[in-house]
Amino acid sequence: MKKVAIIGAGNVGSTAAFVLARKPYTITLVDVVPGIAEGKALDIQQSTAVFESPAKITGSMDYTAIKDAEVVIITAGVARKPGMTREDLLKINARIIGEVCSHIKIHCPNAIVIMVTNPLDAMCHVALKALGFPKERVMGMAGVLDTARLRTCIAQHLNVAVLDVHSTVLGNHGDAMVALPEHTMVGSVPLAELTSPETIHQMIQRTKNGGAEIVALLKTGSAYYAPGAAAAVMAQAILEDSKRILPVCAYLEGTYGIQNIYVGVPVLLGRKGVEQIIKLSLGRETLQELLASAQQTASLLKSL
Ligand code: APR
């Protein structure tokens, strides 16, 4: 069976495992906290008896368990705590990602790596450097989640099936994300024909604030169902070589005029990872927003 490793068996990692467990995959969870990966794996394994899946799920603290994984999803890290600056978080998670990548290099040197740990765009750079893999094999999950949030918002507002809302969100994960209302269709009708510019603006703002909205409701903790599902869908597109076109945090070398920076763009995902970067024709303003997104990541990296 195809093998996926998930590093970090917390909320996002275990949710990704739970979503992938409906497929005939071997799934290995790894975590530093004793028992957590084993416990989550056993719970998920028992669920496969209920929904009748042949998936095999294991958990471990030992990285030899990830041997020969074809895809690795990295969710290991700490969440930002009160009093911690963005730079503090960046440094702590960069150290964790560096350590995790040293194990991936040894045990599955041919894997394709999907980064989930925040701050996402910067962590992709840390992983690329630490792994020394080709850029096609190191990517980040953000656009699938942000796009799902925007599509849900539009579907709820217009009271239509979310399946019929087609959109894409580019740029960074966070305030600098770039929504593309001009590329958003409901059925085959452009969004702009169905609602006012003010409402579209509000929906985009809500999407930008999507993670914070959930944090405010939960009081403790952050979103994990949609993030876990988004990482799982990317892993599946790679394992199944399904050539899906999804918004992914990918390393750009000139496309959109952006050099040597990770930024969210539409890509073709297949067995080789990021098989192609899709170039959309963007308006001048949108292109500026995308460049600003890349610039924000470049500045953040300077503090590392
Ligand atoms: N090696 C392996 N696992 C680690 C390490 C490490 N060096 N350091 C921390 N972890 C594990 C923690 O023990 C924890 O179980 O990573 C897991 C993180 O899980 P949660 O704290 O539940 O966080 P989660 O909500 O899953 O988010 C994970 O994804 O969306 C992002 O911002 C989010 O960066 C965060 C990441």
Side-chain angles (χ1 to χ4, degrees), residues 4-141:
V4 193
I6 302 176
I7 318 299
N11 285 332
V12 176
S14 58
T15 303
F18 185 61
V19 173
L20 289 167
R22 283 165 180 76
K23 293 276 166 190
Y25 299 154
T26 298
I27 303 162
T28 304
L29 288 159
V30 173
D31 204 286
V32 275
V33 177
I36 182 170
E38 294 90 328
K40 297 273 179 94
L42 182 58
D43 192 6
I44 296 168
Q45 184 69 81
Q46 289 165 353
S47 77
T48 62
V50 181
F51 51 69
E52 297 176 10
S53 163
K56 291 270 167 277
I57 303 102
T58 56
S60 179
M61 287 176 73
D62 179 355
Y63 275 93
T64 56
I66 71 170
K67 188 172 165 15
D68 297 334
E70 291 150 83
V71 171
V72 181
I73 300 173
I74 305 181
T75 73
V78 298
R80 192 160 148 190
K81 298 185 182 67
M84 198 190 265
T85 67
R86 211 171 144 75
E87 281 70 30
D88 293 338
L89 177 76
L90 182 71
K91 282 180 187 149
I92 295 169
N93 280 349
R95 235 188 349 262
I96 293 173
I97 298 311
E99 187 227 310
V100 167
C101 289
S102 68
H103 296 288
I104 295 172
K105 253 168 100 162
I106 296 169
H107 298 291
C108 37
N110 298 315
I112 292 168
V113 174
I114 303 171
M115 177 59 62
V116 179
T117 306
N118 276 318
L120 191 265
D121 307 81
M123 287 307 121
C124 288
H125 281 272
V126 173
L128 183 74
K129 192 163 171 222
L131 289 163
F133 288 2
K135 63 183 191 309
E136 298 77 19
R137 289 206 277 125
V138 183
M139 68 193 81
M141 185 291 292

Side-chain angles (χ1 to χ4, degrees), residues 132-211:
F133 288 2
K135 63 183 191 309
E136 298 77 19
R137 289 206 277 125
V138 183
M139 68 193 81
M141 185 291 292
V144 175
L145 170 63
D146 291 331
T147 304
R149 284 178 171 158
L150 180 61
R151 289 173 61 214
T152 303
C153 198
I154 295 168
Q156 286 178 343
H157 177 74
L158 296 174
N159 195 22
V160 299
V162 73
L163 276 183
D164 293 321
V165 179
H166 303 283
S167 191
T168 193
V169 171
L170 312 182
N172 282 3
H173 191 40
D175 292 347
M177 66 165 238
V178 183
L180 304 179
E182 68 275 26
H183 287 268
T184 303
M185 306 292 266
V186 180
S188 296
V189 184
L191 179 63
E193 290 180 20
L194 297 170
T195 191
S196 67
E198 294 75 35
T199 306
I200 294 174
H201 177 73
Q202 280 164 11
M203 291 194 287
I204 293 171
Q205 286 308 116
R206 188 175 177 198
T207 305
K208 285 187 181 184
N209 197 39

